[in-house]
Amino acid sequence: SQQGEEDPQALSIQEGENATMNCSYKTSINNLQWYRQNSGRGLVHLILIRSNEREKHSGRLRVTLDTSKKSSSLLITASRAADTASYFCAPTSYNQGGKLIFGQGTELSVKP
Amino acid sequence: EPEVTQTPSHQVTQMGQEVILRCVPISNHLYFYWYRQILGQKVEFLVSFYNNEISEKSEIFDDQFSVERPDGSNFTLKIRSTKLEDSAMYFCASSEGGSISGNTIYFGEGSWLTVV
């Protein structure tokens, strides 16, 4: 089973700035999902990108996928203090069943 | 928006006691999961459940753990004889289809278990 490796481990920015988080994985995927976790809370699904897609948008979120480099990025534009959370990518592939495997995530801190 | 609900939100139990954590998945979902997160660590997969049986489990999910869908709506995780190292946040999750097919997995807010 594969997990995504998020980079950087921690990111601190000012409100209004953009935040970019990266994810790398090892084997070919079917799709890749991004989740957010506020401290002490459950994981919230943000966006899913399929292996045949290169870019996807949802509100202030923009996700890209480069299957040749086995990497994905999550961009949060015009960040807000409420975006402070940990962000995880979860690649899925046929050989790992239906489960998601999470890495350590990127801890984003947005300062007002 | 439909959500996965978990009870209790927090439970303190004595080492060696049995604990049952309860979850109500989203009503039309067919796939169910338990994950756990030890404080300060990453979210770890425990078990997946489909068609009334375990479809996959991790090494963490040993004989002390069991899952059940007793009445078609609840999904429970039982820890038979708790150990100190079982202290963690336990998350229930559900999805309509498998994540391979692009189905979103929805997570509950978690049950925080403290073993003393």
Side-chain angles (χ1 to χ4, degrees):
Chain A
S1 301
Q2 72 168 326
Q3 67 181 45
E5 298 289 342
E6 295 88 355
D7 175 71
Q9 288 186 354
L11 179 61
S12 183
I13 58 174
Q14 293 294 130
E15 210 165 26
E17 293 180 339
N18 296 341
T20 299
M21 289 158 270
N22 302 298
C23 168
S24 60
Y25 55 90
K26 290 188 167 55
T27 63
S28 61
I29 61 169
N30 190 255
N31 61 62
L32 185 144
Q33 305 190 44
W34 283 91
Y35 282 80
R36 183 189 76 222
Q37 184 183 32
N38 290 75
S39 181
R41 306 291 298 273
L43 291 104
V44 174
H45 179 261
L46 295 176
I47 200 164
L48 178 149
I49 188 164
R50 299 181 190 276
S51 59
N52 62 352
E53 296 176 311
R54 291 296 164 258
E55 188 170 311
K56 207 159 179 184
H57 296 254
S58 176
R60 294 184 295 113
L61 306 181
R62 173 177 165 249
V63 167
T64 62
L65 179 65
D66 187 336
T67 52
S68 66
K69 294 181 179 175
K70 294 187 173 56
S71 67
S72 174
S73 67
L74 170 67
L75 167 68
I76 303 174
T77 59
S79 62
R80 304 167 183 165
D83 295 327
T84 295
S86 292
Y87 291 81
F88 302 88
C89 67
T92 60
S93 49
Y94 284 109
N95 65 353
Q96 71 179 64
K99 65 184 184 293
L100 300 178
I101 302 294
F102 296 97
Q104 295 288 355
T106 291
E107 194 173 324
L108 173 66
S109 174
V110 182
K111 299 187 188 314
Chain B
E1 185 176 311
E3 58 182 21
V4 176
T5 57
Q6 291 186 240
T7 54
S9 56
H10 189 192
Q11 182 162 352
V12 181
T13 189
Q14 296 273 348
M15 195 167 54
Q17 293 295 305
E18 175 183 285
V19 159
I20 297 176
L21 305 178
R22 292 185 165 77
C23 168
V24 179
I26 295 172
S27 63
N28 63 333
H29 285 188
L30 301 176
Y31 292 75
F32 313 110
Y33 313 85
W34 282 100
Y35 285 77
R36 80 169 185 193
Q37 186 175 33
I38 295 170
L39 189 64
Q41 298 188 24
K42 63 184 181 181
V43 177
E44 301 173 290
F45 168 75
L46 292 179
V47 66
S48 57
F49 191 88
Y50 170 71
N51 202 25
N52 282 320
E53 60 183 24
I54 290 174
S55 46
E56 193 170 358
K57 60 183 180 179
S58 71
E59 291 176 356
I60 303 167
F61 194 88
D62 61 21
D63 292 344
Q64 293 297 317
F65 292 89
S66 63
V67 288
E68 198 177 39
R69 191 157 157 78
D71 57 12
S73 61
N74 291 287
F75 180 51
T76 62
L77 174 69
K78 182 193 290 186
I79 309 174
R80 265 183 266 285
S81 178
T82 49
K83 309 183 192 82
L84 294 175
E85 54 265 36
D86 293 328
S87 294
M89 180 79 96
Y90 288 82
F91 293 107
C92 176
S94 70
S95 62
E96 191 172 354
S99 63
I100 293 169
S101 305
N103 287 275
T104 299
I105 295 182
Y106 293 88
F107 286 79
E109 286 294 334
S111 292
W112 182 245
L113 176 64
T114 302
V115 182
V116 296

